[in-house]
Amino acid sequence: MSLFRRLLQYLLGERDTKESSRVFLQDEELIAVIKDVAKQQKRAEEEVIADFTKAGLNQFLTQKELRDRWNSLSHREQQVAALICLGYRNYEIAETLVITLQTVKTHLQSIFYKFHLRSSKELRFALKDWDFHDWWEHNHHI
């Protein structure tokens, strides 16, 4: 049974199914948050659940879209993007990858185009939750 259905059953007081007795700790915490938000906003709990679900789905789709865009990059573009996200400056990327500064800029333009971004700052923000330290350790030599 889905978390969404368990939440609805819990909030509506439906507890007669075998599955509904299995409320996990994080479910209870989420239910408390939903009830608190609904009370603060003077809204129905079902509306808050729908909003939370929509926000979660949007976040999931955004992350999937970012992964798809990442996968569309060439390996060298991924290396450049990873180094940007690790805080390297363009000249440091050129030195690290043994390429010219102009080549770095060309790769960045391609990355920005594929991610629909305009700057290194926007790229770092879009991928802020990604761990590039481990990625770099496994992909810098290829």
Side-chain angles (χ1 to χ4, degrees):
M1 176 177 298
S2 72
L3 173 59
F4 182 74
R5 184 68 194 136
R6 287 198 319 261
L7 281 169
L8 282 177
Q9 283 183 337
Y10 183 86
L11 293 170
L12 297 173
E14 298 173 9
R15 301 206 179 234
D16 54 358
T17 67
K18 180 170 64 172
E19 190 73 29
S20 67
S21 64
R22 293 183 38 194
V23 177
F24 300 102
L25 180 59
Q26 56 267 53
D27 294 350
E28 291 174 358
E29 292 170 1
L30 182 57
I31 290 166
V33 168
I34 289 167
K35 287 183 176 226
D36 188 47
V37 169
K39 184 178 177 180
Q40 288 176 11
Q41 296 180 357
K42 296 180 174 68
R43 298 172 55 206
E45 292 165 350
E46 291 80 6
E47 288 179 36
V48 174
I49 291 172
D51 285 351
F52 279 14
T53 303
K54 184 177 178 184
L57 179 59
N58 287 341
Q59 178 66 22
F60 173 78
L61 293 175
T62 299
Q63 288 302 312
K64 182 188 180 318
E65 187 174 303
L66 287 174
R67 279 191 307 277
D68 290 346
R69 289 178 184 179
W70 175 262
N71 290 332
S72 76
L73 300 178
S74 70
H75 183 70
R76 184 61 93 180
E77 290 169 343
Q78 288 179 348
Q79 289 178 321
V80 170
L83 290 172
I84 285 291
C85 291
L86 289 169
Y88 284 59
R89 297 190 177 277
N90 291 359
Y91 73 89
E92 294 172 317
I93 294 170
E95 289 173 4
T96 301
L97 297 178
V98 193
I99 57 178
T100 67
L101 185 57
Q102 186 55 47
T103 302
V104 171
K105 291 177 182 179
T106 300
H107 286 312
L108 283 172
Q109 290 306 312
S110 178
I111 293 163
F112 298 155
Y113 175 78
K114 290 176 182 180
F115 273 84
H116 308 288
L117 301 171
R118 294 173 296 183
S119 69
S120 296
K121 183 177 180 179
E122 287 182 4
L123 180 66
R124 280 191 293 273
F125 183 76
L127 302 179
K128 70 183 181 317
D129 295 328
W130 293 24
D131 179 11
F132 286 102
H133 295 285
D134 283 343
W135 186 92
W136 181 251
E137 284 301 312
H138 294 94
N139 293 278
H140 74 278
H141 50 79
I142 299 173

